[in-house]
Each structure stands twice: as C-alpha cells, then as structure tokens.
Amino acid sequence: MEYFNKYSSMGHQEFIGNYGYWHKAEPKRVALVYLLGLLKVTREHIRDIFDFENDEIKPVCLSYAWVTPLARRTIMLAFNLYTDWIPEEYPEDCTPSALFDNEKLREFLIEGVNIRYKKKIDG
C-alpha cells in the first residue's frame, strides 16, 4: 500500500496487505484498518472488533478480557474516526491526552488521524 508511510511492525504491514482491499479507498475505512492493525492483539481479534460483512463496529469487544488499556484506546480511536462513536464506558480513555499518551505508538495514531482526514486516498 503505497499511501502508507509508517508501519508499527512487519505484522502491521502484512495486516494492511490482507485487509487493505476492504477499504475501497475511503479514508475512514483506510484509517480503521490502519489503526486496528497497529497492535498484535487487535490484529489477532479483528473479527471480534469489526464485522466486515455488515460494515459495523463491535463496541462490545471493549469488555473482552484480551483488551489491554492500549488496545482499548486504539480501538476507540479507530471507531471514532470511522463512525464518530464515543463510548458511554471508559470516557476517560477518549481524551486526547489518554489516546496519545503512549510515546511508542503516538506517531502511528496520529498517522491514522491524518489518513482519515485526507481529501482523497490515491490507490
């Protein structure tokens, strides 16, 4: 995917390759796939997080035992950029200071925001 400049790992890059076809060059979809591919745990549980067949987020996933605090924040940012969804639970995890507090992932999370708000994705 030539329009991605940053990958968190080889697993992230491979995930984009596997799920990238789905985005149809729509920025909100590209951002969702990009963000959900950042962490190994979200890649492993992608079908618990998003229903590709019905094009729907699955907020219930946030209550699953495998969801770490970092995964929760990454999922919530992906959901928010995709549907403007804000959870009733964990509102403290949706603040900018909470979402972007992880120095290791900050640049990738910001890249997801940049992808979402590009006028057009060239593919």
Side-chain angles (χ1 to χ4, degrees):
M1 302 288 155
E2 58 191 63
Y3 43 83
F4 292 110
N5 298 319
K6 301 176 184 177
Y7 297 99
S8 64
S9 66
M10 285 302 296
H12 185 209
Q13 188 170 2
E14 290 171 10
F15 180 85
I16 297 298
N18 291 335
Y19 285 92
Y21 69 89
W22 174 82
H23 65 74
K24 301 176 187 171
E26 188 176 344
K28 69 179 188 175
R29 292 176 185 223
V30 176
L32 177 90
V33 169
Y34 180 85
L35 290 170
L36 294 180
L38 283 174
L39 304 171
K40 182 178 180 184
V41 68
T42 53
R43 291 192 300 266
E44 290 174 348
H45 294 278
I46 187 64
R47 296 288 179 181
D48 295 324
I49 299 169
F50 193 82
D51 179 343
F52 286 91
E53 290 74 30
N54 294 307
D55 196 24
E56 294 176 345
I57 63 172
K58 295 181 174 183
V60 69
C61 74
L62 295 170
S63 65
Y64 295 161
W66 56 262
V67 177
T68 65
L70 186 55
R72 177 179 294 110
R73 291 176 181 148
T74 303
I75 292 166
M76 287 193 297
L77 178 60
F79 285 0
N80 182 269
L81 293 174
Y82 189 69
T83 66
D84 294 326
W85 177 83
I86 296 176
E88 291 179 23
E89 293 183 19
Y90 318 110
E92 67 280 359
D93 286 343
C94 288
T95 65
S97 59
L99 288 169
F100 300 102
D101 74 340
N102 185 291
E103 190 173 320
K104 186 177 171 183
L105 285 184
R106 185 177 302 131
E107 71 178 298
F108 303 109
L109 297 173
I110 291 171
E111 182 71 5
V113 173
N114 288 334
I115 290 167
R116 168 61 180 95
Y117 290 104
K118 285 184 179 180
K119 297 271 187 217
K120 179 182 175 187
I121 300 292
D122 296 325

